[in-house]
Amino acid sequence: MHPESDMYVEGETRWSGEPNGALIDLVGQLGLANNPGTAVDFGCGEGADAVWLAQQGIAVTGVDPSPIALAQAKSAADAAGVEVSLVEGYAPEALTGTWDLVVGMYAPVHSDPVKLGALLGAVAPGGHLLFVHHEMPEDFFEGVDWRGDFLFPRELAKRLPESEWEILVDEVRARRVIPGASAHHVSDELLVARKKS
Ligand SMILES: C[S@@+](CC[C@H](N)C(=O)[O-])C[C@H]1O[C@@H](n2cnc3c(N)ncnc32)[C@H](O)[C@@H]1O
């Protein structure tokens, strides 16, 4: 499936509804929980991570092109009694501000320098970029023509100039697997980088 194709079906839940274990660990590691600030979760999907971030006292915006997913995210936020600002659109075009924390959980990051520059520009000076994606075996990409159009976390780490970014986490970790459409993936690539002020 192309990373930007619509993966949701009206009336069906695709993901687990649980916040991601790696996100929880990384936010804890960074000391961001209960630290009032702003975050955007691009590719927020059904909103479990955005809701969890909001529960940590962070003002969260969720961005996703799928109206079906955003409707689920709205229901999840309402059920949790938290406010999440939801924007229908594609990153980086829909990221029209700056945030203390820019989160991408299994979301597409474009390798195109202009699009990548726009995504990185959404991180406020001194803020953090947190990007997690599955560690994919190379044979997964056999026959796909878009492999080079997108970056995975380890590739993105190599594109961040040392003069502008401090890399805090650049590693592969075993996933805490929760039932859902991605339960077959066993390890994730994790990147956390701080934009120098
Ligand atoms: C694999 S899902 C991950 C969803 C969610 N982050 C999670 O972990 O459950 C990828 C999400 O990215 C969204 N997406 C696709 N292209 C996008 C883009 N250019 N900008 C933002 N989101 C995008 C999809 O609609 C989908 O919700």
Side-chain angles (χ1 to χ4, degrees):
M1 180 187 279
H2 187 277
E4 295 189 321
S5 58
D6 192 348
M7 55 185 71
Y8 301 96
V9 176
E10 193 88 54
E12 287 180 19
T13 302
R14 185 170 173 90
W15 312 115
S16 68
E18 297 295 326
N20 182 271
L23 176 72
I24 294 171
D25 292 346
L26 289 170
V27 167
Q29 200 175 322
L30 293 169
L32 292 172
N34 299 315
N35 178 9
T38 60
V40 64
D41 179 8
F42 67 94
C44 67
E46 295 167 341
D49 293 330
V51 166
W52 182 81
L53 287 165
Q55 288 171 326
Q56 310 316 303
I58 299 171
V60 186
T61 301
V63 173
D64 202 283
S66 168
I68 299 175
L70 289 180
Q72 299 252 26
K74 169 89 175 80
S75 301
D78 289 348
V82 292
E83 188 86 21
V84 176
S85 167
L86 295 166
V87 176
E88 187 180 324
Y90 288 90
E93 293 81 0
L95 304 180
T96 53
T98 58
W99 289 267
D100 300 321
L101 177 63
V102 173
V103 174
M105 300 300 295
Y106 316 100
V109 169
H110 294 262
S111 58
D112 170 77
V114 173
K115 288 194 175 210
L116 181 57
L119 176 72
L120 299 179
V123 183
H128 293 83
L129 171 68
L130 191 164
F131 179 37
V132 175
H133 215 303
H134 303 302
E135 185 186 36
M136 296 293 210
E138 264 315 307
D139 61 6
F140 173 86
F141 298 106
E142 273 167 21
V144 303
D145 58 6
W146 44 260
R147 170 69 181 95
D149 297 340
F150 299 95
L151 298 172
F152 279 74
R154 282 183 291 191
E155 296 168 326
L156 177 55
K158 295 192 183 85
R159 298 276 294 265
L160 299 179
E162 223 184 300
S163 55
E164 294 170 34
W165 294 90
E166 180 188 0
I167 293 183
L168 304 176
V169 178
D170 176 15
E171 61 188 58
V172 173
R173 287 188 195 168
R175 262 162 67 76
R176 285 195 232 152
V177 178
I178 300 172
S182 298
H184 56 292
H185 292 287
V186 293
S187 52
D188 283 336
E189 295 182 17
L190 279 58
L191 171 66
V192 181
R194 194 184 71 83
K195 190 184 247 186
K196 295 181 180 174
S197 318

